Coordinates of all heavy atoms in Angstrom, one line a residue:
P14 N -8.3 7.3 -0.7 CA -8.0 8.4 0.1 C -6.7 9.1 -0.2 O -5.7 8.4 -0.4 CB -8.1 7.9 1.5 CG -8.7 6.7 1.5 CD -8.4 6.0 0.1
Y15 N -6.7 10.4 -0.2 CA -5.5 11.1 -0.4 C -4.4 10.7 0.5 O -4.5 10.5 1.7 CB -5.8 12.6 -0.2 CG -4.6 13.5 -0.4 CD1 -4.1 13.7 -1.7 CD2 -4.0 14.2 0.6 CE1 -3.0 14.5 -1.9 CE2 -2.9 15.0 0.5 CZ -2.4 15.2 -0.8 OH -1.3 15.9 -1.1
N16 N -3.2 10.5 -0.1 CA -2.0 10.0 0.6 C -1.9 8.6 1.1 O -1.2 8.3 2.0 CB -1.7 11.0 1.8 CG -1.0 12.3 1.3 OD1 -0.5 12.3 0.2 ND2 -1.2 13.3 2.1
C17 N -2.9 7.8 0.7 CA -2.7 6.3 1.1 C -1.5 5.8 0.5 O -1.1 6.2 -0.6 CB -3.9 5.5 0.8 SG -4.4 5.4 -1.0
A18 N -0.8 4.9 1.1 CA 0.5 4.3 0.6 C 0.1 3.6 -0.7 O -0.8 2.8 -0.8 CB 1.1 3.4 1.5
G19 N 0.9 3.9 -1.8 CA 0.7 3.3 -3.0 C -0.2 4.0 -4.1 O -0.4 3.5 -5.1
I20 N -0.7 5.1 -3.6 CA -1.7 5.9 -4.4 C -1.1 6.0 -5.9 O 0.2 6.4 -6.0 CB -2.0 7.3 -3.8 CG1 -3.2 7.9 -4.6 CG2 -0.9 8.1 -3.8 CD1 -4.5 7.4 -4.2
A21 N -1.9 5.8 -6.9 CA -1.5 6.0 -8.3 C -0.5 4.9 -8.7 O 0.0 5.0 -9.9 CB -1.1 7.4 -8.6
G22 N -0.1 3.9 -7.9 CA 0.9 2.9 -8.4 C 0.1 1.8 -9.1 O -1.1 1.6 -8.9
L23 N 0.8 1.1 -10.0 CA 0.3 -0.1 -10.6 C -0.1 -1.2 -9.6 O 0.6 -1.4 -8.7 CB 1.3 -0.6 -11.6 CG 1.3 0.1 -12.9 CD1 2.5 -0.4 -13.8 CD2 0.0 0.0 -13.7
V24 N -1.3 -1.8 -9.9 CA -1.7 -2.9 -9.0 C -0.9 -4.2 -9.4 O -0.6 -5.0 -8.5 CB -3.3 -3.1 -9.2 CG1 -3.6 -4.4 -8.5 CG2 -4.0 -1.9 -8.7
D25 N -0.6 -4.3 -10.7 CA 0.0 -5.5 -11.2 C 1.4 -5.8 -10.5 O 2.2 -5.0 -10.4 CB 0.3 -5.3 -12.7 CG 0.8 -6.7 -13.3 OD1 0.4 -7.7 -13.0 OD2 1.7 -6.5 -14.3
D26 N 1.5 -7.0 -9.9 CA 2.7 -7.5 -9.1 C 3.0 -6.5 -8.0 O 4.2 -6.4 -7.7 CB 3.8 -7.6 -10.2 CG 3.7 -8.7 -11.1 OD1 2.9 -9.7 -10.8 OD2 4.3 -8.7 -12.2
D27 N 2.0 -5.9 -7.3 CA 2.3 -5.0 -6.3 C 1.3 -5.0 -5.2 O 0.8 -4.0 -4.8 CB 2.5 -3.5 -6.8 CG 3.5 -2.8 -5.9 OD1 4.1 -3.3 -5.0 OD2 3.7 -1.6 -6.2
T28 N 0.8 -6.2 -4.9 CA -0.3 -6.2 -3.8 C 0.3 -7.3 -2.7 O 0.9 -8.3 -3.0 CB -1.6 -6.8 -4.3 OG1 -1.4 -8.0 -4.8 CG2 -2.1 -5.8 -5.3
A29 N 0.1 -6.8 -1.4 CA 0.7 -7.6 -0.3 C -0.4 -8.3 0.6 O 0.0 -9.2 1.4 CB 1.6 -6.7 0.5
S30 N -1.6 -7.8 0.5 CA -2.7 -8.4 1.4 C -4.1 -8.3 0.6 O -4.1 -7.6 -0.3 CB -2.7 -7.9 2.7 OG -2.9 -6.5 2.7
Y31 N -5.0 -9.0 1.2 CA -6.3 -8.9 0.6 C -7.4 -9.1 1.6 O -7.2 -9.7 2.7 CB -6.5 -9.9 -0.6 CG -5.7 -11.2 -0.5 CD1 -5.8 -12.1 0.5 CD2 -4.7 -11.3 -1.5 CE1 -5.0 -13.3 0.4 CE2 -3.8 -12.4 -1.4 CZ -4.0 -13.5 -0.5 OH -3.2 -14.5 -0.5
R32 N -8.7 -8.8 1.2 CA -9.8 -8.9 2.1 C -11.0 -9.3 1.1 O -11.3 -8.6 0.1 CB -10.1 -7.7 2.9 CG -11.4 -7.8 3.8 CD -11.5 -6.7 4.6 NE -12.8 -6.8 5.4 CZ -13.3 -5.9 6.1 NH1 -12.9 -4.7 6.2 NH2 -14.5 -6.2 6.8
N33 N -11.7 -10.3 1.5 CA -12.9 -10.7 0.6 C -14.2 -10.3 1.4 O -14.6 -11.0 2.3 CB -12.8 -12.2 0.3 CG -13.9 -12.6 -0.6 OD1 -14.8 -11.9 -1.0 ND2 -13.7 -13.9 -1.0
R34 N -14.8 -9.3 0.9 CA -16.1 -8.8 1.5 C -17.3 -9.3 0.6 O -18.4 -8.9 0.8 CB -16.2 -7.3 1.6 CG -15.2 -6.9 2.7 CD -15.5 -5.4 3.1 NE -16.7 -5.2 3.7 CZ -17.3 -4.1 4.0 NH1 -16.8 -3.0 3.6 NH2 -18.5 -4.1 4.6
D35 N -17.0 -10.3 -0.3 CA -18.0 -10.8 -1.1 C -18.6 -12.1 -0.5 O -18.0 -12.7 0.3 CB -17.3 -11.2 -2.6 CG -18.2 -11.2 -3.6 OD1 -19.5 -11.3 -3.4 OD2 -17.8 -11.2 -4.8
T36 N -19.6 -12.6 -1.1 CA -20.2 -13.9 -0.7 C -19.7 -15.1 -1.5 O -20.0 -16.2 -1.2 CB -21.7 -13.9 -0.8 OG1 -22.1 -13.6 -2.2 CG2 -22.3 -12.8 0.1
Y37 N -18.9 -14.7 -2.5 CA -18.2 -15.7 -3.3 C -16.7 -15.9 -3.0 O -16.1 -14.9 -2.6 CB -18.4 -15.3 -4.8 CG -19.8 -15.3 -5.4 CD1 -20.5 -14.1 -5.4 CD2 -20.4 -16.5 -5.7 CE1 -21.8 -14.1 -5.9 CE2 -21.8 -16.5 -6.1 CZ -22.4 -15.3 -6.1 OH -23.7 -15.3 -6.6
T38 N -16.2 -17.1 -3.3 CA -14.8 -17.3 -3.2 C -14.1 -16.5 -4.4 O -14.6 -16.6 -5.5 CB -14.5 -18.9 -3.3 OG1 -15.1 -19.4 -2.1 CG2 -13.0 -19.1 -3.3
W39 N -13.0 -15.9 -4.2 CA -12.2 -15.4 -5.3 C -10.9 -16.1 -5.6 O -10.4 -16.8 -4.6 CB -11.8 -13.9 -4.9 CG -13.0 -12.9 -5.2 CD1 -14.1 -12.9 -4.5 CD2 -13.1 -12.0 -6.3 NE1 -15.0 -11.9 -5.1 CE2 -14.3 -11.4 -6.2 CE3 -12.2 -11.7 -7.4 CZ2 -14.7 -10.4 -7.1 CZ3 -12.6 -10.8 -8.2 CH2 -13.8 -10.1 -8.1
R40 N -10.5 -16.1 -6.8 CA -9.2 -16.7 -7.2 C -8.3 -15.6 -7.6 O -8.7 -14.7 -8.3 CB -9.4 -17.8 -8.3 CG -10.2 -19.0 -7.8 CD -10.3 -20.0 -8.9 NE -11.2 -19.4 -9.9 CZ -11.4 -20.1 -11.0 NH1 -10.8 -21.2 -11.3 NH2 -12.3 -19.6 -12.0
V41 N -7.0 -15.7 -7.2 CA -6.0 -14.7 -7.6 C -4.9 -15.6 -8.4 O -4.7 -16.7 -8.0 CB -5.3 -14.0 -6.5 CG1 -6.4 -13.1 -5.9 CG2 -4.8 -14.8 -5.4
A42 N -4.2 -14.9 -9.2 CA -3.2 -15.6 -10.1 C -2.0 -14.8 -10.3 O -2.1 -13.5 -10.4 CB -3.7 -16.2 -11.4
T43 N -0.8 -15.5 -10.6 CA 0.4 -14.7 -10.8 C 0.6 -14.4 -12.2 O 1.6 -13.5 -12.5 CB 1.6 -15.5 -10.3 OG1 1.6 -16.8 -11.0 CG2 1.5 -15.8 -8.8
D44 N -0.3 -14.8 -13.1 CA -0.2 -14.4 -14.5 C -1.6 -13.9 -15.0 O -2.6 -14.1 -14.4 CB 0.3 -15.6 -15.4 CG 1.7 -15.9 -15.1 OD1 2.6 -15.1 -14.7 OD2 2.1 -17.1 -15.4
I45 N -1.6 -13.3 -16.1 CA -2.9 -12.7 -16.7 C -3.7 -14.0 -17.0 O -3.2 -15.1 -17.2 CB -2.7 -11.9 -18.0 CG1 -2.0 -12.7 -19.1 CG2 -1.8 -10.7 -17.7 CD1 -2.0 -11.9 -20.5
N46 N -5.0 -13.7 -17.1 CA -6.0 -14.7 -17.5 C -6.0 -15.9 -16.6 O -6.2 -17.1 -17.0 CB -5.9 -15.2 -19.0 CG -6.1 -14.0 -20.0 OD1 -6.9 -13.3 -19.8 ND2 -5.1 -14.0 -21.0
L47 N -5.8 -15.6 -15.3 CA -5.7 -16.6 -14.3 C -4.7 -17.8 -14.5 O -4.9 -19.0 -14.2 CB -7.1 -17.2 -14.0 CG -7.4 -17.5 -12.5 CD1 -7.4 -16.2 -11.7 CD2 -8.7 -18.2 -12.4
G48 N -3.6 -17.4 -15.1 CA -2.5 -18.3 -15.3 C -1.5 -18.3 -14.2 O -1.5 -17.5 -13.3
G49 N -0.4 -19.2 -14.3 CA 0.6 -19.3 -13.3 C 0.0 -19.9 -12.0 O -0.9 -20.8 -12.1
L50 N 0.6 -19.5 -10.9 CA 0.0 -19.9 -9.6 C -1.3 -19.4 -9.3 O -1.5 -18.2 -9.6 CB 1.1 -19.7 -8.5 CG 2.4 -20.3 -8.5 CD1 3.3 -19.7 -7.3 CD2 2.3 -21.7 -8.5
V51 N -2.3 -20.2 -8.8 CA -3.6 -19.8 -8.6 C -3.9 -20.1 -7.1 O -3.7 -21.2 -6.7 CB -4.6 -20.4 -9.5 CG1 -6.1 -20.1 -9.1 CG2 -4.4 -20.2 -10.9
G52 N -4.4 -19.1 -6.3 CA -4.8 -19.3 -5.1 C -6.3 -18.9 -4.8 O -6.9 -18.1 -5.7
T53 N -7.0 -19.4 -3.8 CA -8.3 -19.2 -3.5 C -8.5 -18.3 -2.2 O -7.8 -18.6 -1.2 CB -9.2 -20.4 -3.4 OG1 -8.7 -21.2 -2.5 CG2 -9.3 -21.1 -4.7
I54 N -9.4 -17.3 -2.2 CA -9.7 -16.6 -1.0 C -11.2 -16.7 -0.7 O -12.0 -16.2 -1.4 CB -9.4 -15.0 -1.3 CG1 -8.1 -14.8 -2.1 CG2 -9.4 -14.2 0.0 CD1 -6.8 -15.3 -1.5
P55 N -11.5 -17.4 0.5 CA -12.9 -17.6 0.8 C -13.6 -16.4 1.3 O -13.0 -15.4 1.6 CB -12.8 -18.7 1.9 CG -11.4 -18.4 2.5 CD -10.6 -18.0 1.4
P56 N -14.9 -16.3 1.2 CA -15.7 -15.2 1.6 C -15.3 -14.9 3.1 O -15.1 -15.8 3.9 CB -17.2 -15.7 1.6 CG -17.2 -16.8 0.6 CD -15.8 -17.4 0.7

């Protein structure tokens, strides 16, 4: 939406929270290709 905080900003290394609306568990990582620290976010 127009004027949301962060609009047009890079996603890389600039996310503070998350929501999983999927039926699958998601993994996030601090490096490309799921490298570095890896965390899981349940459905």
Side-chain angles (χ1 to χ4, degrees):
Y15 180 70
N16 282 337
C17 62
I20 191 85
L23 279 172
V24 175
D25 188 34
D26 292 335
D27 208 8
T28 58
S30 60
Y31 24 70
R32 180 176 180 192
N33 187 354
R34 293 193 65 191
D35 202 345
T36 57
Y37 294 101
T38 296
W39 277 76
R40 293 183 291 173
V41 295
T43 57
D44 290 335
I45 63 170
N46 299 319
L47 218 62
L50 295 176
V51 178
T53 58
I54 317 300

